[in-house]
């Protein structure tokens, strides 16, 4: 069976009724984006959830989600162990930002990068279709810039990548814009949504305690337009938002999902519990869920991937993180 609305479906099953995952129900889900089980936040109550699991006779629970989901799954494992419940709780880490600690990547990331690369190409078309054109594409990545970095590497047409891990000054951004325009008369910028929050901070939090981020994409667009106005030129701003994660899965991700699913089931059937499965150096391993929940993985500005991105974009030290890393 499938549990709807995340942990809400286990703490309040009368409101969020379980779904029978029949062959007819799941036959075409890989052809679509999103989830037939409906994502949900909150609703975590380990006591109520263990009551539901015991009442329904569930002895295997698979949790799909990021560090918050897996951290909660570990607390649920501890409650089940305290009660002596015979149940395997196995996590499959999922984050479109690819910011899960320890594991190489999460499923869906390759698909998101492929979709983001195509949207960057749209930005390139707009930027090259006028004099002094600047294409700006804002991509998902609250605290980690993996999507923006990999999409830039995959497209090979980006001139500047801004990510949360690298602080920057707007004056340096404008210098890069001017230098690139002087060299080839157009610029393409990929910016992660969590980059440059010091310029657009809201100081607010949502109902779940997450920081409400300001819109760095709109701010960057306005700053570029203001900078270009005296000499001519303009920006073309694209915000694909959830488009990059709501598209049908790509072949490599389809294979990866099947691999994770097989190994998650095998892990549960072997009696492991309170763990997650995921790839480390392309080998699927089993790891305690509480280790996943200890933080978020981030782009290392000294990594070969980021340095390759810097070189591909011809970014100066002031925007690559090299200057701040040497201080």
């Amino acid at each position: 069976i499938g549990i709807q609305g995340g942990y809400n479906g286990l703490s309040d099953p009368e409101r969020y009724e379980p779904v029978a995952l029949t062959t007819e129900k799941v036959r075409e889900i890989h052809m679509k984006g999103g989830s037939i089980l409906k994502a949900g936040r909150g609703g975590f109550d380990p006591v109520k959830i263990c009551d539901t699991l015991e009442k329904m006779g569930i002895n295997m629970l698979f949790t799909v989600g990021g560090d918050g989901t897996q951290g909660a799954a570990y607390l649920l494992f501890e409650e089940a162990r305290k009660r002596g419940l015979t149940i395997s709780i196995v996590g499959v880490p999922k984050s479109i930002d690819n910011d899960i600690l320890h594991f190489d990547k999460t499923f869906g990331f390759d698909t998101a990068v492929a979709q983001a690369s195509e949207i960057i190409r749209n930005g390139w078309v707009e930027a090259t279709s006028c004099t002094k054109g600047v294409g700006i594409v804002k991509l998902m990545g609250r605290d980690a810039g993996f999507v923006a970095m990999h999409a830039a590497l995959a497209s090979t047409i980006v001139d500047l990548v801004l990510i949360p891990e690298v602080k920057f000054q707007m004056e340096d951004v404008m210098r890069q814009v001017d230098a690139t325009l002087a060299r080839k008369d157009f610029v393409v910028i990929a910016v992660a949504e969590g980059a440059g929050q010091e310029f657009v901070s809201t100081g607010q939090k949502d109902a779940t305690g997450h920081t409400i981020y300001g819109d760095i994409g709109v701010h960057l667009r306005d700053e570029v337009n203001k900078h270009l106005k005296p000499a001519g030129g303009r920006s073309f701003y694209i915000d694909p938002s959830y488009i990059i994660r709501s598209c049908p899965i790509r072949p490599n991700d389809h294979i990866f999902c099947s691999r994770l699913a097989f190994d998650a089931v095998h892990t549960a059937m072997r009696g492991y519990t309170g763990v997650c499965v995921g790839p480390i150096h392309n080998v699927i391993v089993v790891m305690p869920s509480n280790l996943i929940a200890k933080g978020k993985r981030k782009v290392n500005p000294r990594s070969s991937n980021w340095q390759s991105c810097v070189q591909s974009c011809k970014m100066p030290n002031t925007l690559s993180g090299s200057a701040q890393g040497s201080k």
Side-chain angles (χ1 to χ4, degrees):
I1 62 172
I3 305 299
Q4 295 199 81
Y7 287 117
N8 294 289
L10 286 172
S11 58
D12 190 2
E14 287 75 25
R15 181 180 177 186
Y16 302 88
E17 292 187 11
V19 177
L21 298 179
T22 62
T23 301
E24 291 72 22
K25 190 78 173 178
V26 304
R27 180 177 285 130
E28 298 178 356
I29 58 174
H30 64 290
M31 306 293 287
K32 309 169 184 176
S35 170
I36 64 170
L37 294 178
K38 312 293 189 298
R41 285 185 173 181
F44 181 72
D45 185 326
V47 174
K48 286 185 178 180
I49 291 174
C50 279
D51 288 343
T52 301
L53 294 171
E54 194 169 13
K55 182 179 178 180
M56 296 178 69
I58 294 173
N59 59 11
M60 292 184 191
L61 177 66
F62 300 95
T63 59
V64 182
D67 58 301
T69 299
Q70 305 310 334
Y74 193 82
L75 295 177
L76 187 59
F77 149 70
E78 290 183 324
E79 175 65 22
R81 182 174 59 179
K82 186 169 66 177
R83 293 186 181 204
L85 292 183
T86 304
I87 184 171
S88 289
I89 301 173
V90 178
V92 181
K94 170 74 176 101
S95 166
I96 203 68
D97 295 344
N98 202 38
D99 57 359
I100 301 296
L101 278 178
H102 306 301
F103 291 143
D104 299 341
K105 66 176 181 179
T106 59
F107 70 90
F109 176 67
D110 285 350
T111 298
V113 168
Q115 190 76 6
S117 299
E118 294 177 6
I119 295 167
I120 285 174
R121 193 171 297 114
N122 297 141
W124 173 83
V125 168
E126 294 294 340
T128 57
S129 297
C130 79
T131 301
K132 299 184 185 301
V134 180
I136 301 172
V137 179
K138 187 178 81 170
L139 297 170
M140 299 183 81
R142 280 179 57 86
D143 301 301
F146 288 104
V147 172
M149 177 180 72
H150 282 266
L153 284 168
S155 65
T156 69
I157 52 176
V158 178
D159 303 294
L160 174 60
V161 182
L162 302 174
I163 60 175
E165 294 86 345
V166 176
K167 302 297 181 185
F168 60 89
Q169 298 299 320
M170 205 57 71
E171 294 83 0
D172 294 323
V173 171
M174 298 311 157
R175 288 192 191 98
Q176 174 72 349
V177 167
D178 289 341
T180 307
L181 286 176
R183 178 163 53 87
K184 58 181 186 179
D185 202 43
F186 69 89
V187 183
V188 178
I189 301 174
V191 54
E193 62 181 309
Q197 284 301 303
E198 60 271 22
F199 300 112
V200 292
S201 176
T202 66
Q204 301 175 6
K205 294 185 180 294
D206 63 18
T208 61
H210 292 88
T211 300
I212 298 175
Y213 280 10
D215 197 329
I216 185 60
V218 170
H219 178 76
L220 183 61
R221 177 201 66 190
D222 293 344
E223 289 296 309
V224 167
N225 283 339
K226 183 169 64 175
H227 177 75
L228 292 179
K229 189 174 182 179
R234 58 169 295 194
S235 71
F236 298 88
Y237 178 57
I238 302 176
D239 180 2
S241 187
Y242 293 107
I243 288 174
I244 70 169
R245 80 172 190 185
S246 59
C247 56
I249 196 169
R250 300 298 173 102
N252 279 346
D253 261 327
H254 192 180
I255 295 169
F256 184 42
C257 282
S258 298
R259 185 181 172 197
L260 287 172
F262 290 146
D263 286 333
V265 172
H266 290 164
T267 298
M269 293 184 72
R270 290 171 66 186
Y272 287 97
T273 184
V275 297
C276 286
V277 297
I280 296 180
H281 301 310
N282 204 33
V283 176
I284 301 295
V285 303
V286 178
M287 182 178 294
S289 299
N290 61 331
L291 297 182
I292 303 298
K294 287 186 175 180
K296 294 182 182 292
R297 191 162 70 103
K298 296 180 181 294
V299 173
N300 181 355
R302 297 179 181 273
S303 68
S304 58
N305 272 342
W306 176 247
Q307 290 305 314
S308 294
C309 185
V310 167
Q311 293 170 23
S312 173
C313 299
K314 296 181 173 60
M315 290 163 56
N317 286 347
T318 52
L319 295 170
S320 70
S322 298
Q324 67 187 43
S326 62
K327 290 181 181 179

